[in-house]
Each structure stands twice: as C-alpha cells, then as structure tokens.
C-alpha cells in the first residue's frame, strides 16, 4: 500500500445506545459516509444494543463464565482467554458506566456484529464501507492502554509485506502489519475514553476495503502453539507441572543439548541437606554411549533374572522389554546421587534417615529436570533400571565409585499428543491438623 493522506473523524450526535438499537441506521444517519470509509465502533455500544448487559453482583463469577483459560493472575487481576479467543484482562467484562449490580459483556460474535452493521449501512446508503469493532487492551511489556480490533468486516486485518522490497533493496522476510489494530488505535484518538463518542471514521484508505466481509478478526489471533508467552510465570509453572507426563514413544527429532543443560540448571536449585550439592547428571548425547550402557544393563538384568529369580527366557524377554523406552529415546540423562557432606551416624536408624534426606534431594532435582523439560516441549520417562545394576552403570560410563545412579530419564519430543488427564482432587492427599 502506497503512502496516503488520511482523516480520522469522530461521529458525534449519536443517542445513548439501548438494547435493540439499530446501530447501522444510527451511524448512517449521523455521518455522511463515503465509499471506502472504515467505520470504527466501540464494542461497548454494540454490547448494549445486543443486550449483553447482565445482572452480576459478583463480577468475578461473570469473568469465570466468559473465560476459557487463565493466562496470568496477580491478586484479583486476571488475564484470560475468552470465548472469542481474545486474550485480555477480565475476559472483557466491564463494570464501568453500568448500573450497580450489572456488568457488560463483549458481543457474543464480534465479527458477526461487524458484518450486520456493515450490511445495514450498505442497505441504507448503497455505500461499501468496512466496519471494525474495537475494545481497549493493555499490552505485555508496555504501559498504557490502546484500542485494538476485536471484530471486522470488509477489511483484511493483516497486511503481509513479506517478499516486498524496501527502499534499500532489501527483501522483507518477517513483516506482517496488524492493520486493523493500527486503525483501532487511530480511531481512539478522536473517540476518547470519556467523551461519549463511540464511533469514528477513517477516510483515505479505501484500498483496504474489500467487497467480501472476509475472515474477520481470526487471522490476528495467534494460535496457542505459536505463542511463546501464552502463560504468566506462575501459570507456566503450574502448566508444566500438571501437563508433565511419562512419555514412552518419541519422534525422531533430536534433542537440543542446550535445552537439557537449562533443565539441569533448574534441577540443581533443588533443596538439599547440609548445604550440599548432591546431584550429578550424566548426559548420554551419542547413540554409541546410549547403546553401550543399555546393552551392558540388559546383560546384567538377564543374568540376575535367570540366576537369582529363576525366570525362563520368555518371562525375561517380557520383563526386559520395558526398557525399550530408553533404547528408543533420542537422549538419555542418568541422574546420580553423590552423598558428599553427609553426616556419619553410628546407629542404623539415624544413618538411614540421613540417606533418605539425600534421596529426597535427588528426587526434587529430578522433578525440576522433568518439569523444565516439559516447559521446553520435551517428553520424559524416568525409569528406575540403573538403580538395580549400579556397578555396571558406573563401569560402563566410567563414573566415580561414590556416584549412585538413580534411574535414567528418557528425553525426546513426544510422538503423539498426550491424552487428556482428569485433574486429581487434592483432598484425599491432605491431612489437616
């Protein structure tokens, strides 16, 4: 789109909007629209016309009803994803400028509302305009509020500059402009927040107006899988913890070594007794190292099951097949307990308790490792098998004699999405005194 002059005009003289109001007709009467105009309508007046004013003595309950996902929470403030897919404060539930005991919800279908207003204006004037519904948003990392588009008709909400050449001859590779949001913010400059001017018109950008209603606002909403900041800090931690699963089938995608090192950095922040650091992590990044370890462990397991347990070959094969999750994983981590700094006690009771303290510490470290890897998008399976043949593991991996292998963690991208898991009620696991 070539540079062009434009005008942003407030639409004055509109009455107080009540339920059932014909917004398209009111706008067409209040301003002489031209073909190619872009009409910006504050969502609040659309909500009023559509009867979205509801009784709600408890605003929090109204937010709960409109929200589908909590993104971040601080005190009573919540950033949520609402039913329209928008991520915003309080799900767009507005208690300002409404009667006590009522709140105003966003339009149920902002794109549909924009299409209706556009069609009504065309019916009455014969002129083809675009319509945007706007609402006020805060923005991550930026103070202050601005208007953005939450509904659209007759306008492509994004302008893709990729493949174009800039003034220096450089080909643009990433730039996609949020045209609808730029228009919404421009309109807010003349509408204002307290002037009672809910509609503005942008004139001079007729090239943006399309004959068809278009896709609406959907292209502006980033898919959750592409959103690197989809959760606040505490929500991200809870999400990683609750979504962590034992994964037994991995894709062929390699594991990034730096991701594992970031997970280890989180692991070694775990609590430990006596100000010690009782964790070591052996990273098996080569297939050769993984195969050597697993072959040695398999031989040791087969000997024990045959000679100590008296199992036949068929039973041994079924039991050792459980280790396939380690063999098929593209990356293995062997956490080890190092009890340096532990206290020596002459009696067995206190000596056992001392060992248990260090065992709890390695468990906490491994949990940190697993949760951090889940946050990186990796699946894991913590398998105990190295604990049953520690001497073999130490010899194969050339580990010091005082390093105690505490299982092995298989790491990789899950081959398939994990099935939904019902949340566990916490009460059965709690005792209050």
């Amino acid at each position: 789109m070539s540079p062009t002059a434009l005008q942003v005009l407030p639409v004055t003289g509109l009455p107080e909007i009540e339920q059932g109001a014909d917004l398209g007709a009111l706008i067409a009467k209040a301003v002489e629209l031209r073909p190619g105009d872009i009409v910006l309508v504050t969502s609040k007046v659309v909500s009023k016309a559509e009867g979205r004013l509801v009784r709600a003595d408890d605003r929090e309950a109204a937010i709960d009803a409109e929200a589908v996902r909590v993104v971040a929470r601080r005190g009573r403030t919540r950033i949520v994803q609402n039913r329209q897919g928008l991520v915003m404060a309080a799900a767009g539930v507005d208690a300002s400028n409404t009667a006590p005991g009522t709140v105003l919800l966003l339009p149920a279908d902002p794109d549909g509302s924009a299409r209706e207003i556009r069609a009504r204006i065309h019916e009455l004037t014969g002129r083809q305009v675009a319509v945007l519904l706007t609402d006020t948003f805060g923005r991550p990392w930026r103070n202050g509020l601005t208007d953005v588009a939450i509904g659209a008709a007759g306008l492509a909400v994004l302008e893709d500059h990729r493949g174009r050449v800039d003034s220096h001859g450089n080909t643009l590779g990433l730039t996609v402009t949020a045209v609808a949001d730029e228009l919404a913010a421009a309109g807010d400059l003349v509408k204002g927040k307290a002037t009672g001017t809910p509609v503005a018109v942008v004139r001079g950008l007729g090239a943006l107006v399309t004959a068809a209603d278009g896709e609406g606002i959907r292209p502006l909403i980033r898919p959750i899988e592409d959103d690197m900041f989809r959760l606040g800090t505490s929500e991200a931690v809870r999400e990683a913890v609750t979504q962590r699963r034992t994964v037994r089938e991995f894709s062929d995608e390699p594991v990034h070594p730096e991701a594992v090192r970031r997970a280890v950095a989180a692991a070694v922040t775990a609590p430990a007794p006596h100000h010690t650091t009782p964790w070591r992590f052996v990273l098996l990044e080569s297939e050769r190292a993984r195969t050597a370890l697993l072959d040695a462990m398999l031989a040791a397991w087969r000997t024990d099951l045959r000679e100590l347990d008296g199992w036949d070959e068929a039973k041994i094969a079924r039991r050792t097949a459980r280790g396939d999750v380690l063999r098929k994983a593209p990356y293995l981590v062997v956490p080890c307990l190092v009890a340096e700094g532990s206290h020596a006690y002459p009696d067995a009771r206190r000596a056992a308790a001392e060992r248990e303290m260090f065992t709890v510490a390695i468990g906490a470290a491994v949990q940190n490792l697993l949760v951090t890897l889940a946050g990186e998008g990796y699946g894991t399976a913590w398998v105990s098998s190295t604990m049953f043949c520690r001497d073999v593991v130490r010899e194969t991996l050339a580990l010091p004699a005082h390093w105690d292998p505490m299982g092995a963690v298989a790491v990789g991208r899950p081959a398939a999405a994990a099935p939904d898991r019902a949340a566990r009620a916490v009460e059965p696991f709690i005792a209050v005194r």
Side-chain angles (χ1 to χ4, degrees):
M1 184 176 65
S2 300
T4 183
L6 60 88
Q7 293 177 288
V8 184
L9 310 169
V11 176
T12 59
L14 290 169
E16 182 68 26
I17 304 301
E18 299 179 349
Q19 183 173 349
D22 186 342
L23 280 176
L26 291 174
I27 294 168
K29 182 179 179 180
V31 60
E32 183 68 27
L33 292 170
R34 300 178 186 175
D37 281 350
I38 300 169
V39 181
L40 312 170
V41 185
T42 302
S43 63
K44 178 175 286 189
V45 295
V46 179
S47 294
K48 289 181 176 180
E50 295 179 354
R52 296 285 284 167
L53 186 69
V54 299
R55 296 292 310 179
D57 295 319
D58 184 355
R59 180 170 178 262
E60 297 303 309
I63 296 171
D64 290 340
E66 291 295 300
V68 297
R69 179 172 64 91
V70 175
V71 174
R73 184 194 308 266
R74 181 169 293 175
R76 290 177 61 85
T77 300
R78 280 186 286 172
I79 307 298
V80 304
Q81 183 181 32
N82 68 8
R83 296 177 183 277
Q84 294 84 17
L86 303 170
V87 175
M88 59 194 309
V93 175
D94 193 346
S96 63
N97 297 314
T98 65
T102 64
V103 295
L104 197 62
L105 311 180
L106 288 179
D109 178 10
D111 286 332
S113 301
R115 289 191 291 269
E116 290 179 7
I117 294 171
R118 184 189 194 217
R120 183 65 168 146
I121 290 172
H122 185 268
E123 176 188 351
L124 295 174
T125 68
R127 286 164 188 165
Q128 186 166 274
V129 301
V131 174
L132 294 179
L133 266 59
T134 70
D135 198 69
T136 303
F137 271 45
R139 299 151 301 152
W141 307 297
R142 305 282 285 187
N143 287 323
L145 304 173
T146 187
D147 266 22
V148 301
I150 67 166
L155 181 84
V157 296
L158 296 174
E159 184 177 8
D160 193 344
H161 298 267
R162 292 172 296 184
R164 299 181 186 177
V165 178
D166 67 15
S167 59
H168 295 281
N170 301 309
T171 301
L172 300 176
L174 297 174
T175 305
V176 180
T177 304
V179 173
D181 285 347
E182 292 179 326
L183 290 165
D188 193 46
L189 293 174
V190 299
K191 289 191 294 179
K193 299 299 182 190
T195 60
T197 306
V199 179
V201 173
V202 173
R203 183 165 291 160
L205 296 176
L208 297 177
V209 177
T210 59
D213 285 334
E215 296 182 77
I217 214 68
R218 182 59 54 184
L220 275 172
I221 299 176
R222 179 170 290 157
I224 192 169
E225 61 270 17
D226 295 337
D227 188 353
M228 294 178 66
F229 310 103
R230 64 191 181 95
L231 294 171
T233 302
S234 63
E235 288 72 25
V237 172
R238 285 195 294 274
E239 177 86 357
V241 171
T242 57
Q243 295 302 313
R244 188 212 61 77
R245 310 287 180 84
T246 296
V247 174
R248 301 190 181 279
E249 295 290 338
F250 300 99
S251 73
D252 294 333
E253 181 180 342
V255 173
H256 198 295
E258 288 306 312
V260 179
R261 284 162 173 76
R262 288 192 291 270
V264 172
V268 299
T269 65
H274 315 316
H275 305 288
T276 59
T277 54
W279 325 279
R280 303 293 185 272
F281 295 88
V282 185
L283 310 183
L284 304 187
E285 297 184 342
S286 72
E287 184 176 358
R288 177 192 56 77
R290 294 192 298 272
T291 300
L293 174 63
L294 296 174
D295 285 350
M297 289 172 55
L298 178 60
W301 267 88
R302 289 178 61 83
T303 298
D304 284 350
L305 293 173
R306 182 173 55 250
E307 296 181 0
L308 301 180
D309 298 318
W311 287 15
D312 61 29
E313 288 302 317
K315 191 173 182 180
I316 290 173
R318 289 193 298 271
R319 176 62 182 83
T320 56
R322 299 179 188 177
D324 286 351
V325 64
L326 298 178
R327 197 171 290 275
K328 294 177 180 178
Y331 199 107
L332 294 181
V333 177
V334 179
C336 294
L337 173 61
V338 178
E340 295 172 348
S342 62
H343 295 176
Y345 292 100
D347 61 290
R349 176 181 58 83
R350 288 187 293 168
E354 182 77 1
R355 173 70 182 187
E356 288 171 354
M357 287 196 304
F358 279 79
T359 302
V360 169
I362 189 68
V366 171
Q367 173 72 351
N368 282 5
L369 181 88
L370 302 182
V371 169
T372 305
L373 287 169
E376 297 265 0
Y378 290 105
T380 56
W382 186 12
V383 181
S384 63
S385 53
T386 67
M387 300 169 67
F388 291 85
C389 49
R390 285 180 168 136
D391 288 341
V392 171
V393 176
R394 282 190 284 258
E395 180 181 355
T396 305
L397 298 180
L399 304 181
H402 64 295
W403 285 29
D404 280 348
M406 303 295 285
V409 179
V411 184
R413 297 290 185 192
D420 289 338
R421 177 174 58 190
R424 288 175 177 165
V426 300
E427 293 305 322
F429 305 96
I430 294 174
V432 179
R433 299 290 187 264

